[in-house]
Amino acid sequence: MTLSQFCDAVAAVGKAHGGSVTSWGRSPQHSIRVGGFVGDPHTWWLGVDMVYDTGANRPEADQMAHSLGLKVLHEKGHDHYQPADFPAGPVTKYP
Ligand SMILES: [Zn+2]
């Protein structure tokens, strides 16, 4: 999934579900500071955290997100989106 495809997919989900992005791209230093790690999806600008007008998590958006190639993690305080094929752990090469 390209950065452009990811942006289009996340925007579509957010617009359809009353979402607001609270975090997107991060420098490696900032990612570490907020509990992430070097090579995580946010440092690739392929990770987005979103909240909704209805609350912090929205499982109702999962089906749409999956159909657009996204993986969703329902985390405390927000939903995290990333490409479904983004590898786990520190990533040095993608795709
Ligand atoms: Zn996140």
Side-chain angles (χ1 to χ4, degrees), residues 9-48:
V10 168
V13 172
K15 289 166 79 173
H17 288 274
S20 298
V21 171
T22 60
S23 182
W24 181 23
R26 299 174 185 163
S27 70
Q29 186 176 346
H30 182 71
S31 196
I32 290 168
R33 195 180 306 132
V34 297
F37 51 88
V38 177
D40 75 14
H42 287 282
T43 64
W44 285 79
W45 292 68
L46 292 170
V48 156

Side-chain angles (χ1 to χ4, degrees), residues 23-24 26 41-42 47-49 75 78-82:
S23 182
W24 181 23
R26 299 174 185 163
H42 287 282
V48 156
D49 297 338
E75 298 182 334
H78 63 266
D79 283 344
H80 168 93
Y81 292 90
Q82 66 184 58

Side-chain angles (χ1 to χ4, degrees), residues 1-15 24 64 68 70:
M1 174 176 270
T2 68
L3 178 57
S4 297
Q5 290 168 333
F6 177 72
C7 291
D8 285 344
V10 168
V13 172
K15 289 166 79 173
W24 181 23
M64 180 181 185
L68 294 172
L70 299 173

